[in-house]
Amino acid sequence: MSDVTPEMIAVALGQAAPLENSPQWKQWQMWIKDAEMLIEARRVELDATAPAPEKIDYVVREAVVSHVRKPDDATHVTTQVDDGMTSKSYKSSKGRVTIVDEWWALLGLVDESQAFSVDTAPDSRRVHAATCSLRFGATYCSCGTDIAGRPIFEDVL
């Protein structure tokens, strides 16, 4: 799907490429395939045409480089051996290869139909459960009608 290689990831990171078939090389290759899979799954889900190859390469490369820089969701890792100790702090990470919204937009794989709305005014036509707090003079709904439009926490009697 993309032409991204572990060597390209190393160039983007400004470091030497790992030896072919080394654990690091295999790991980067796996992450490249993960990013490609995420793009293809989103494309199929949206029934969209394939993005331009150079855009796919860019997103795959950036997603993998980002994951290499922040590999897990730990924020602080300390390793101690005998009298020596080393610590590493990470910025937030999801602990997996992710594609940020900005890159989805670049690929043209943004689902516009998934917008949502928030109802800020109660609808008097909604039916609350017989045991809802509103029926007993409270200023809040305990049956869930204000959230879902129907009782979800209590049965309607």
Side-chain angles (χ1 to χ4, degrees):
M1 177 179 195
S2 75
D3 294 325
V4 178
T5 64
E7 290 82 7
M8 290 176 169
I9 302 301
V11 169
L13 290 166
Q15 65 185 46
L19 296 175
E20 192 168 337
N21 292 322
S22 68
Q24 186 179 30
W25 188 90
K26 289 178 181 179
Q27 188 178 46
W28 289 6
Q29 190 64 40
M30 179 181 65
W31 290 343
I32 290 167
K33 290 185 185 305
D34 289 349
E36 292 171 347
M37 180 270 308
L38 291 171
I39 292 169
E40 181 61 14
R42 173 76 68 101
R43 187 197 67 74
V44 169
E45 178 185 325
L46 297 176
D47 194 27
T49 58
E54 60 274 3
K55 290 181 179 182
I56 293 173
D57 288 350
Y58 172 80
V59 171
V60 167
R61 187 178 62 247
E62 291 302 310
V64 174
V65 166
S66 176
H67 188 58
V68 169
R69 287 185 177 141
K70 299 178 277 183
D72 62 33
D73 55 358
T75 56
H76 190 79
V77 177
T78 302
T79 305
Q80 183 170 357
V81 177
D82 295 330
D83 291 338
M85 180 170 55
T86 180
S87 294
K88 175 77 175 174
S89 294
Y90 294 100
K91 294 182 180 171
S92 63
S93 170
K94 295 195 183 283
R96 57 186 163 78
V97 174
T98 55
I99 298 174
V100 297
D101 293 339
E102 173 186 338
W103 298 334
W104 287 125
L106 174 69
L107 293 170
L109 298 176
V110 179
D111 188 2
E112 301 293 336
S113 69
Q114 300 228 351
F116 64 93
S117 63
V118 176
D119 185 6
T120 58
D123 186 354
S124 61
R125 295 172 289 167
R126 292 183 177 172
V127 177
H128 291 268
T131 55
C132 181
S133 299
L134 283 174
R135 294 187 182 256
F136 297 103
T139 58
Y140 61 92
C141 169
S142 64
C143 70
T145 297
D146 61 339
I147 299 170
R150 62 180 177 75
I152 57 175
F153 300 124
E154 301 172 11
D155 292 328
V156 177
L157 298 177

